[in-house]
Amino acid sequence: MGVKDAAGDQGPGARTGHAAKEFPPLWFSDVTDYLTNTLRKGVAPALGLAAGFAANKARKTWDSPRSAWLALRAPLQQHTMRLWQMICDPDNLGALALLAAALIVLFLLRRWWLKDRVYLLDFECFQNKEDKWVSYKRFEDGSRDKGCFTDDGLDFQLRMLKKSGLSQETMFPSGLHLDPPQPTMAWAREEAELVLFDVVEKVLRKTGIKPRDIDILVVNCSLFNPTPSLSAMIINKFKMRRDIESYNLGGMGCSAGIISIGLAKRLLGSLNRGGYALVVSTENITQNWYQGNERSMLIPNTIFRMGGAGILLTNKKTEARRAVYELEHVVRVHLGAQDDAYRCVYQMEDQDDKIGVELNKDLVKVAARAMEANLTRMGPLVLPLGEKLAFAINWIARKILGFKLQAYIPRFNKAFDHFCLHAGGRAVVTGLSKQLQLSREQMAPSANSLHWYGNTSSSTVWYSFAFIESLQGVKQGQRVWQIGFGSGFKCNSAVWRSLRSTKRCHKAWEHIKGREDQAVDTILQIEADSIRERQEKQKQKQ
């Protein structure tokens, strides 16, 4: 299902401007889905009604259960004897062998299918800590005291910060709170230990799983990869088993958290007895605070903040009863073969030999291509029948019959109930929300993650997930969609299905009580102001 083809040249939100040219009309998919759901829901009542008629007829035929048993006993005995004679007949041994082989194959397939099911037992996000808050004033003072930024470079960062949508309560690590900041290896290790140990300890405590029960450990951190590794740091702290399978993913960007989930699922599938996989997603800010003045490399300073998440997965059948979600799909897209995609997020030295991450001008269009490719693969897996039919009819009318029609944009908000968009920046959150036609409530998890925590890289989708559980709640059977973008360039997404209704307050979101609407209001206001400023500049040029 080609999302690029569907989007055409209209851009996000084009649906509202040209509704009259849409074919088939929006009501077509809505009616189709309504009829499909009605038929699906009507199967059980129909079977129940048939069973009721059968029971009523049986009641009229037989006076009591005993009379029914007496009437059915003779035919049952007759068929049982005939079946036994067939089994004992030497001429039927070949057929019996085939039947036995078929039953064994079915049993093995069932075991394989159940083993392939992966459950989310629980997860934990690094909690907001007041002593780590970096207000705009603290950011300015620390940057100025370091003495590495020119007036123009500092002014640019402050302007970007004020337009970022970040609150005054996002977190910087301890090394960057010093006067002047000290982005050293020692302080980077301190940041890693603080975040990693905290989320691992809390998720193990919540689930009641002991460190030595963990079979697989996957840690992802893009820019900080010390020796020994971060995974070894966790193994040493919690004294995990010597035969644990540990992996440390580096340099894979903000979408690496979903890559880790996919890797953990594959590794769990290799355990015949089932097992537990611990996934830890974080990014380290301390040593990656850029100290130069190249504008394209200064942007990360203004939006990246401290955070992390610990996730506990299992494929044990015995744990299914207490699991919260089941992993339905992981879809990965990598555009690294394209030069502009490979270079659009690039760690390098500037002209003064200062190391930083450059975000170049191709990033927006590359991200759009990556998301288009991801949705193209995701669509057939999750879209309801009505959306698939509408897209197919529209495509046939345009491409085969030659009608000049607006391309049909599949509505993914009909496939998912909750959205955890990568909180990579204000423009990412508002742009994706507009393109996916999300409501204010559906946009809120990602907007709040950005506002209260900043861009915490691969863990942003888990902060959004925690927000959904804390303030909105997830009903049994609903789907939660996580989507992340990362260097390389990658777009990865995961779909979770709720196994039970859940609404619980995560500690990571306790501090916003009474301020639940602040994030969306702030981000939308900044977005409106930015649009107004651009329009005024265009008028001045004309």
Side-chain angles (χ1 to χ4, degrees):
M1 185 168 297
V3 175
K4 179 178 181 180
D5 178 59
D9 297 325
Q10 304 298 325
R15 183 187 299 277
T16 57
H18 303 278
K21 296 181 180 179
E22 288 184 344
F23 179 81
L26 294 181
W27 58 260
F28 172 83
S29 63
D30 293 336
V31 170
T32 303
D33 292 334
Y34 175 78
L35 293 175
T36 304
N37 292 333
T38 301
L39 288 173
R40 188 184 298 119
K41 292 177 181 177
V43 170
L47 291 175
L49 190 62
F53 279 123
N56 187 49
K57 185 175 181 180
R59 232 182 357 257
K60 293 179 179 178
T61 305
W62 298 297
D63 297 333
S64 65
R66 177 177 174 77
S67 62
W69 165 246
L70 291 175
L72 295 174
R73 184 172 62 178
L76 286 174
Q77 289 177 342
Q78 181 181 355
H79 288 300
T80 302
M81 289 298 298
R82 186 178 300 173
L83 178 63
W84 178 251
Q85 290 172 359
M86 290 174 62
I87 293 173
C88 295
D89 190 346
D91 295 335
N92 294 330
L93 289 179
L96 289 173
L98 286 175
L99 178 62
L103 291 174
I104 293 172
V105 170
L106 288 173
F107 174 75
L108 293 175
L109 285 173
R110 181 178 180 275
R111 281 196 63 186
W112 172 82
W113 181 72
L114 289 175
K115 184 181 71 172
D116 195 48
R117 300 177 70 176
V118 172
Y119 303 101
L120 172 62
L121 284 182
D122 218 323
F123 66 97
E124 186 72 27
C125 296
F126 185 70
Q127 185 179 352
N128 192 284
K129 299 180 183 297
E130 188 173 350
D131 63 320
K132 297 290 186 289
W133 287 355
V134 52
S135 64
Y136 292 4
K137 183 68 166 59
R138 180 72 193 92
F139 182 92
E140 179 180 0
D141 291 345
S143 300
R144 196 180 301 279
D145 292 343
K146 186 62 178 175
C148 58
F149 301 112
T150 62
D151 290 341
D152 181 66
L154 183 57
D155 180 67
F156 175 77
Q157 290 184 81
L158 295 177
R159 283 189 285 112
M160 291 296 100
L161 180 61
K162 290 175 182 177
K163 293 182 179 181
S164 66
L166 272 64
S167 72
Q168 305 275 355
E169 300 175 17
T170 58
M171 295 181 288
F172 255 5
S174 300
L176 299 186
H177 276 285
L178 299 176
D179 191 13
Q182 296 183 21
T184 63
M185 170 67 81
W187 283 111
R189 284 185 180 277
E190 191 272 347
E191 176 191 353
E193 291 175 354
L194 176 64
V195 175
L196 300 180
F197 296 169
D198 179 85
V199 297
V200 171
E201 181 181 350
K202 287 179 178 176
V203 77
L204 292 178
R205 188 190 311 135
K206 283 174 70 175
T207 56
I209 302 298
K210 298 177 181 178
R212 295 186 65 82
D213 293 332
I214 301 298
D215 300 281
I216 297 161
L217 173 64
V218 183
V219 181
N220 67 269
C221 181
S222 187
L223 294 173
F224 181 61
N225 294 284
T227 300
S229 66
L230 298 178
S231 58
M233 185 185 292
I234 293 174
I235 292 171
N236 176 260
K237 169 67 177 179
F238 293 95
K239 310 305 178 188
M240 294 179 173
R241 299 199 317 257
R242 64 178 60 187
D243 63 340
I244 188 171
E245 293 188 51
S246 68
Y247 297 83
N248 200 98
L249 306 184
M252 303 197 77
C254 300
S255 67
I258 296 173
I259 295 175
S260 297
I261 295 295
L263 175 60
K265 177 184 179 181
R266 288 174 178 268
L267 294 171
L268 283 170
S270 67
L271 301 177
N272 292 325
R273 56 184 171 77
Y276 297 100
L278 176 62
V279 175
V280 186
S281 296
T282 189
E283 188 53 89
N284 193 281
I285 307 301
T286 304
Q287 276 201 312
N288 297 292
W289 186 54
Y290 174 58
Q291 300 174 61
N293 291 282
E294 189 67 38
R295 287 194 172 190
S296 61
M297 302 170 76
L298 282 170
I299 297 175
N301 284 6
T302 65
I303 59 174
F304 277 87
R305 294 294 185 266
M306 180 182 178
I311 306 99
L312 190 57
L313 306 175
T314 184
N315 64 341
K316 285 179 172 286
K317 291 178 288 185
T318 55
E319 292 283 22
R321 68 187 69 181
R322 71 169 181 138
V324 191
Y325 301 92
E326 180 181 353
L327 180 61
E328 284 196 337
H329 307 289
V330 174
V331 174
R332 294 174 54 182
V333 168
H334 202 309
L335 303 184
Q338 303 168 14
D339 291 341
D340 60 341
Y342 177 71
R343 292 284 309 211
C344 68
V345 180
Y346 202 80
Q347 187 179 29
M348 55 185 285
E349 294 173 327
D350 65 12
Q351 59 185 3
D352 298 320
D353 296 329
K354 303 292 185 181
I355 296 177
V357 176
E358 179 189 47
L359 308 180
N360 72 25
K361 57 183 175 58
D362 294 325
L363 177 58
V364 175
K365 65 178 183 180
V366 167
R369 288 207 309 268
M371 182 175 177
E372 161 204 319
N374 191 283
L375 294 184
T376 298
R377 293 183 56 195
M378 180 66 77
L381 300 175
V382 298
L383 283 175
L385 178 62
E387 288 297 310
K388 293 177 182 177
L389 283 177
F391 179 87
I393 292 171
N394 178 274
W395 188 89
I396 291 171
R398 288 184 299 108
K399 299 296 185 180
I400 298 178
L401 302 180
F403 287 100
K404 294 183 178 180
L405 299 168
Q406 177 186 341
Y408 187 85
I409 304 173
R411 291 179 287 174
F412 279 85
N413 56 2
K414 294 182 67 176
F416 307 113
D417 303 284
H418 301 279
F419 296 79
C420 303
L421 311 177
H422 172 53
R426 173 181 55 81
V428 176
V429 173
T430 57
L432 286 177
S433 298
K434 185 176 181 182
Q435 185 171 354
L436 295 169
Q437 304 171 52
L438 304 187
S439 65
R440 179 188 173 95
E441 183 181 12
Q442 291 171 325
M443 171 188 170
S446 304
N448 277 272
S449 297
L450 177 67
H451 184 68
W452 296 109
Y453 283 94
N455 184 346
T456 58
S457 189
S458 56
S459 63
T460 61
V461 293
W462 291 103
Y463 280 101
S464 298
F465 208 148
F467 178 91
I468 292 169
E469 286 196 343
S470 299
L471 283 91
Q472 298 177 350
V474 183
K475 295 180 180 179
Q476 183 178 0
Q478 287 189 332
R479 281 171 164 175
V480 182
W481 185 38
Q482 296 176 312
I483 183 165
F485 300 90
S487 57
F489 190 84
K490 299 177 287 293
C491 178
N492 304 317
S493 59
V495 180
W496 302 90
R497 182 175 60 85
S498 176
L499 300 177
R500 58 177 52 84
S501 295
T502 305
K503 187 171 184 181
R504 51 182 178 165
C505 186
H506 288 252
K507 291 185 177 179
W509 291 107
E510 289 178 347
H511 69 292
I512 72 164
K513 187 176 181 180
R515 302 181 289 174
E516 291 85 354
D517 296 326
Q518 178 177 315
V520 177
D521 290 341
T522 300
I523 288 175
L524 291 180
Q525 183 60 54
I526 295 173
E527 184 73 10
D529 292 341
S530 299
I531 293 173
R532 193 181 308 110
E533 287 178 11
R534 287 196 297 268
Q535 291 174 344
E536 290 176 356
K537 288 181 180 179
Q538 289 176 355
K539 289 180 181 179
Q540 291 174 0
K541 289 181 180 179
Q542 293 174 355

